[in-house]
Amino acid sequence: RSKSTTLGLAGLVIFALGYIVAAIFPCDPGCRPNEPSMSQLIHNVGGFIGYLLAPFFLFALTLAARSWPGAKWLVLFGSTSSFFTLICLFTLFPSSPAPGLSQRLLETLVLSWSIFCGIYLVKHAESRL
């Protein structure tokens, strides 16, 4: 229980909520129309809030994981993921040659971190029983 853990988990929840909003409000065909619909605008805002926070909440969780026993590999993965999600964030803009690729990579890193963190927590909980 630390501020880093709390901030990181809150960021993960916000990322998930943004993902849900983006799923409920689909993007227009091509996802980058000249005149976006209201659904497209909501989709973009919902998704972008989560993407904007991703590098920072991953970094916060990585800082917290440094004090977790046996989590050296999780810290390494979290540090790497934080760095690459930050790069992905800067390549999501319309002028980027492959914003969809950056988006998918960012999502993969966040979801992979979540899975690995879950695996760590399950193993750690079992060792306490």
Side-chain angles (χ1 to χ4, degrees):
R1 297 178 191 221
S2 68
K3 287 182 183 180
S4 293
T5 303
T6 303
L7 289 173
L9 292 175
L12 185 58
V13 168
I14 293 169
F15 178 85
L17 291 174
Y19 206 82
I20 291 168
V21 167
I24 292 171
F25 295 93
C27 62
D28 296 338
C31 287
R32 299 204 184 264
N34 291 332
E35 295 182 30
S37 67
M38 183 57 73
S39 179
Q40 176 73 50
L41 293 172
I42 295 169
H43 175 89
N44 288 350
V45 169
F48 191 69
I49 288 170
Y51 294 155
L52 184 63
L53 292 176
F56 306 106
F57 80 73
L58 283 177
F59 185 70
L61 285 171
T62 298
L63 286 177
R66 290 181 356 187
S67 66
W68 302 349
K72 186 175 182 178
W73 62 274
L74 196 57
V75 171
L76 179 61
F77 183 76
S79 299
T80 305
S81 295
S82 299
F83 175 74
F84 283 109
T85 55
L86 188 59
I87 290 172
C88 290
L89 178 64
F90 288 114
T91 60
L92 284 176
F93 298 103
S95 59
S96 173
L101 178 62
S102 296
Q103 179 183 0
R104 298 299 176 253
L105 181 58
L106 189 148
E107 292 167 356
T108 299
L109 291 167
V110 170
L111 295 175
S112 296
W113 165 263
S114 300
I115 291 167
F116 292 148
C117 190
I119 290 169
Y120 170 84
L121 293 173
V122 166
K123 286 184 178 181
H124 185 68
E126 289 175 354
S127 68
R128 292 183 132 188
L129 295 177

